[in-house]
Amino acid sequence: MTTPQPVPPPSPEPSPEPRPKPERRSARRAAERRATFEPVPAAPRSPTPTVQAPVPPPGAPVSAAVRRALGRDGEARADSEPPSVRPEGWRPAERALRLITVAVVAVAAAVLTGQPWLLALAAGPAALLLLSGSAGSRPSRSEVEADVPSRRCFEGEPLTAVVTVAFDGLVGWIDPGVSPGPGAELVSVQVSGPVVTLGFAARRWGRWSLGVVDLDLYDAGGLARSTVRVDLGEVEVFPLPADGSFTPIPVRLPDRLGEHTARQTGEGIEVIGVRPHVWGERQRRIHWPSTTRRGSIQINQFAAERAADAVILLDAFADVADPVTGRSSLDESLRVAAGLVRTYLRSHDRVGIVSVGGKLYWLQPGMGDAYFYRIVQTVLDVRRDLAFNTPDLNRLPPPALPHGALVYAVTPLADNRIMEVLGGLAERGNPIVVVEVPIGDPRVSASDAVEQLALRLWRLDREAVRYSLVEKGIPVVPWLGETLDLSLAPLLRSRLQGRVS
């Protein structure tokens, strides 16, 4: 029987505080003015339950568990295929093969030398093999399931795959073997009972297979193993968009409310002139200096605010590697295209995309933050569909390429077929801007005069291509690799205007 605890006496009620006296209006305003300049302490962050490990940079040393999971050399090649499926059922493990080798060598040495005592060396391995062969605790049935919590990420972000094995017997340990896909890199392996947690790093954009996992289930003695395979499925790796904030606009904007100042009059906030007063207009719009000077009521005239239509033309005819940096022109092109899409979507403009080269991909212009992922998902397969054919843009429906929409052609200018596509767009009358992705100069010998002459002719040919585009009224801006603002800044001097070639 527990004794009742004494109840503490009630605490005395606090005495009511005196009511503060009302401050003067001038003093209150001064206090508010001082409060606006005082730094406000940041709210403490709530502790996160799980902290994700940072992704190691490419080429960083890997752990022993990762090297064992990848194979003998501990490296995963992008063009390698997963190993063939192992036969079903139990088979001898490495430890059993070593015991068999010891027993066979001991028996062979006893026969060849005539020394019977050497047979004792084979007795131990033979006994272990017989005991493992008669063990009845091995699982007769096993099931494996793979779970990837997030199948969409950006380049450089981590991916996690959790593989769970279910079996009806006794298993000594689990040894995973991983064959990662071409766009992912295995960075961590953790085995905890029947659960195997694999950590990947997304290295290249695209729609890739995350890979396959072969799980070797060893018996209690480690003398036999059985292999089960599971496919981790596909993941979508989005490119890192290039940074930028400038949004050049064409001369004519569609009749849709937006954030860009149009040349037409409307209900905007930018004053573009004055005009005579019309009965019924607001008096707050009266421009008094003009009214006093002209002797009649003059009204402020405002510019309309409109949204722009932009279409990104992605050149996927060829994928050229820079001889110096090794960067892929297609990778850089998609990063530039993603940066342009994100910049214009932030300005509440409509953005679409058309990918030429191989299969023709297109998505009509739309707006909204979620539309960015739809646009990028449309062109994730361009790396798989490279083919030698020139698409016909006349087959595109009118919503895919609206009349008067600003077209950004992101191209390395390495294939002459893109010139035909740009010529067809110029005939439509759309304003076009070419963002040239650099591909670097070919490597030549400094002591070879013929190679130096060929390099000079190659540079002159590229200058001629740029000059022909400028002559058609198509500005060419280089991608400098840092931010889009450096490339688009010259286009802010005047509005872009289409020209029929």
Side-chain angles (χ1 to χ4, degrees):
M1 182 175 180
T2 60
T3 59
Q5 298 292 334
V7 180
S11 59
E13 296 182 358
S15 60
E17 297 180 359
R19 187 175 182 180
K21 297 181 179 181
E23 299 179 359
R24 294 181 179 180
R25 183 176 300 177
S26 58
R28 192 185 310 122
R29 289 183 178 177
E32 293 177 356
R33 192 179 302 112
R34 289 193 302 268
T36 55
F37 291 94
E38 293 178 358
V40 179
R45 297 182 179 180
S46 58
T48 55
T50 57
V51 179
Q52 207 164 22
V55 178
V62 297
S63 60
V66 173
R67 288 196 299 268
R68 179 176 177 81
L70 291 177
R72 298 179 179 177
D73 53 358
E75 296 181 359
R77 299 177 177 84
D79 55 348
S80 61
E81 296 183 356
S84 58
V85 181
R86 301 294 178 87
E88 297 182 358
W90 292 88
R91 64 186 186 276
E94 295 87 351
R95 184 178 297 178
L97 296 178
R98 288 194 291 267
L99 293 177
I100 293 175
T101 303
V102 171
V104 171
V105 170
V107 172
V111 172
L112 294 177
T113 59
Q115 301 292 334
W117 62 269
L118 292 176
L119 294 176
L121 298 178
L128 292 176
L129 292 173
L130 291 177
L131 292 176
S132 65
S134 61
S137 60
R138 296 174 182 172
S140 59
R141 184 181 58 183
S142 58
E143 296 180 358
V144 61
E145 180 181 359
D147 179 29
V148 181
S150 177
R151 294 189 176 272
R152 295 176 181 175
C153 66
F154 284 88
E155 288 178 311
E157 291 186 349
L159 288 168
T160 304
V162 180
V163 182
T164 306
V165 188
F167 41 82
D168 57 355
L170 181 62
V171 172
W173 69 86
I174 299 177
D175 186 16
V178 184
S179 298
E185 179 184 354
L186 183 66
V187 295
S188 65
V189 177
Q190 183 180 1
V191 181
S192 177
V195 179
V196 179
T197 305
L198 305 174
F200 295 89
R203 295 305 185 191
R204 296 189 68 183
W205 63 266
R207 187 175 286 109
W208 307 105
S209 172
L210 193 55
V212 296
V213 180
D214 292 329
L215 298 179
D216 290 339
L217 309 180
Y218 287 83
D219 61 358
L223 300 178
R225 63 175 176 173
S226 175
T227 304
V228 290
R229 169 170 290 191
V230 60
D231 191 354
L232 299 180
E234 287 190 346
V235 293
E236 293 180 349
V237 182
F238 297 150
L240 288 176
D243 295 331
S245 59
F246 294 159
T247 54
I249 57 175
V251 175
R252 297 181 179 180
L253 295 175
D255 190 9
R256 191 177 63 256
L257 185 63
E259 298 183 359
H260 303 291
T261 302
R263 293 188 175 182
Q264 297 82 8
T265 59
E267 299 294 329
I269 60 175
E270 183 175 343
V271 180
I272 59 175
V274 294
R275 60 176 176 81
H277 175 264
V278 179
W279 179 258
E281 292 184 328
R282 301 177 183 177
Q283 296 182 0
R284 61 188 302 178
R285 294 188 175 183
I286 296 178
H287 189 258
W288 290 107
S290 300
T291 301
T292 304
R293 184 170 58 253
R294 297 184 182 182
S296 60
I297 300 179
Q298 302 293 320
I299 300 296
N300 286 324
Q301 194 172 7
F302 296 90
E305 293 183 346
R306 298 288 184 262
D309 286 344
V311 177
I312 312 300
L313 179 66
L314 182 63
D315 179 11
F317 284 117
D319 189 3
V320 184
D322 193 317
V324 178
T325 62
R327 294 180 179 178
S328 168
S329 63
L330 191 57
D331 291 349
E332 294 295 320
S333 298
L334 193 54
R335 293 189 183 99
V336 173
L340 291 172
V341 169
R342 187 178 63 174
T343 302
Y344 275 89
L345 287 179
R346 286 178 176 176
S347 301
H348 303 93
D349 298 322
R350 296 199 313 166
V351 186
I353 195 164
V354 177
S355 173
V356 294
K359 187 178 179 181
L360 183 63
Y361 295 94
W362 63 271
L363 186 64
Q364 67 181 16
M367 59 188 306
D369 294 336
Y371 209 71
F372 169 79
Y373 299 98
R374 290 190 58 190
I375 291 176
V376 177
Q377 285 178 341
T378 305
V379 294
L380 283 182
D381 289 332
V382 295
R383 201 190 301 273
R384 302 181 181 180
D385 299 326
L386 298 179
F388 192 84
N389 59 344
T390 303
D392 186 9
L393 295 184
N394 295 325
R395 298 180 180 179
L396 288 176
L401 193 60
H403 179 70
L406 176 61
V407 179
Y408 281 96
V410 185
T411 170
L413 295 177
D415 198 306
N416 292 330
R417 290 174 290 175
I418 193 63
M419 302 300 295
E420 302 178 12
V421 175
L422 295 177
L425 290 175
E427 293 177 358
R428 286 173 172 250
N430 292 79
I432 307 173
V433 175
V434 174
V435 181
E436 182 184 359
V437 177
I439 57 176
D441 294 340
R443 291 183 177 180
V444 296
S445 176
S447 59
D448 194 337
V450 177
E451 293 184 359
Q452 292 292 332
L453 179 61
L455 177 60
R456 183 180 178 184
L457 293 176
W458 183 82
R459 292 175 177 174
L460 291 175
D461 181 70
R462 293 188 63 83
E463 288 293 336
V465 170
R466 301 187 189 101
Y467 180 77
S468 64
L469 292 175
V470 174
E471 284 295 310
K472 293 180 180 180
I474 303 176
V476 180
V477 294
W479 161 241
L480 303 178
E482 298 180 1
T483 174
L484 285 173
D485 293 344
L486 297 178
S487 302
L488 302 183
L491 303 178
L492 300 178
R493 300 174 183 174
S494 61
R495 301 199 174 188
L496 303 173
Q497 184 176 1
R499 177 184 176 183
V500 179
S501 59

